[in-house]
Amino acid sequence: MRKVTASGQTVDEAVQSALRQLNISEDQAQVEVIDEGKKGILGLFGSKPAIVKVTQKEDPVEKIQKYVKNIVNEFDGQFDIETKVVQNEVMIQLSGEKIALLIGKRGQTLNALQYLAQLAMHQYSEKYYSVTIDAEGYRERRKETLISLAERLADRASKTKKDVKIEPMPSYERKVIHTALQKRSDIATDSQGDEPNRYVVIKPK
């Protein structure tokens, strides 16, 4: 963690000096005022400089990457982690020979890891970030599977005129189901139950 102690005629001047030395902006800094200084008589006699200690805040994205890496290292295997940030979305891509260990049955392990990472990010950053963790394109393959499942079960609901319940799944997977079926006029979808056991119901119209 980089830090520097700087002085100036005023606290603000001291802070600006420290920021220039660290080459960071004020929102990336934690400021501790050591001495507010003293102007002195006529601004000359008995004056005392202001002194501040400025510490560079750790990047929340770097912290979340370390957090995920520490968890992943507990698994049996060597895994690579790549992180990309687009606006307020942090996308973490995992890869490795034993990637199935990190995905788990129907993505349960991957979903749990993503859930923990999102909770940690709320603690690391004052700014809102959403965290998505993928493993060698699993999310896209899972999306295609969910769309296919949604269409098949919607056909069943429409044909039998009976509600069809889908097993509990995370909110973003439920959203895939709702989106895939929103244009159909013969059925409607609804989410029911409480987290983490909330599920989608497909209802015939």
Side-chain angles (χ1 to χ4, degrees):
M1 191 177 294
R2 298 169 62 221
K3 60 180 68 177
V4 68
T5 300
S7 61
Q9 289 186 349
T10 64
V11 169
D12 186 59
E13 283 187 13
V15 169
Q16 293 305 315
S17 173
L19 294 177
R20 285 193 297 272
Q21 292 179 60
L22 291 171
N23 194 28
I24 60 175
S25 57
E26 198 160 349
D27 62 340
Q28 296 173 301
Q30 183 176 336
V31 178
E32 178 187 350
V33 178
I34 297 174
D35 194 324
E36 293 186 357
K38 187 177 178 183
K39 282 188 176 181
I41 301 171
L42 302 177
L44 297 172
F45 305 105
S47 62
K48 190 177 179 184
I51 302 173
V52 299
K53 182 193 289 184
V54 174
T55 304
Q56 182 178 8
K57 292 180 182 177
E58 193 170 0
D59 183 352
V61 175
E62 291 180 5
K63 289 184 74 172
I64 205 64
Q65 181 168 308
K66 289 178 184 177
Y67 176 82
V68 172
K69 187 174 183 179
N70 287 337
I71 296 177
V72 167
N73 284 342
E74 295 297 318
F75 287 78
D76 179 26
Q78 294 292 322
F79 303 102
D80 294 322
I81 300 177
E82 291 184 9
T83 304
K84 183 168 69 172
V85 182
V86 178
Q87 294 181 338
N88 67 330
E89 184 176 3
V90 180
M91 292 169 283
I92 299 174
Q93 184 68 238
L94 307 175
S95 59
E97 291 182 5
K98 297 183 179 180
I99 198 64
L101 290 174
L102 296 182
I103 295 174
K105 183 180 179 182
R106 294 178 183 169
Q108 289 179 348
T109 304
L110 194 64
N111 290 340
L113 180 58
Q114 179 172 292
Y115 176 73
L116 290 173
Q118 186 68 68
L119 288 180
M121 180 57 88
H122 289 325
Q123 295 180 333
Y124 295 156
S125 176
E126 297 174 358
K127 175 184 174 182
Y128 175 77
Y129 284 100
S130 66
V131 181
T132 302
I133 300 181
D134 199 0
E136 296 187 355
Y138 170 79
R139 296 289 183 200
E140 188 60 34
R141 295 194 302 274
R142 175 66 172 165
K143 181 179 179 181
E144 292 172 2
T145 299
L146 289 172
I147 291 173
S148 177
L149 174 68
E151 291 289 354
R152 189 169 71 251
L153 295 182
D155 289 342
R156 182 196 298 175
S158 181
K159 185 177 180 179
T160 62
K161 302 301 179 185
K162 293 181 179 179
D163 291 358
V164 176
K165 296 179 181 179
I166 305 179
E167 65 183 16
M169 57 184 62
S171 61
Y172 53 88
E173 291 193 350
R174 296 197 306 271
K175 184 178 179 181
V176 171
I177 301 290
H178 292 306
T179 302
L181 301 178
Q182 66 182 359
K183 292 182 179 180
R184 289 189 57 150
S185 59
D186 56 334
I187 57 96
T189 61
D190 183 30
S191 287
Q192 298 181 10
D194 300 317
E195 298 290 3
N197 297 312
R198 199 159 167 78
Y199 56 90
V200 174
V201 180
I202 302 175
K203 303 177 178 182
K205 288 185 177 178

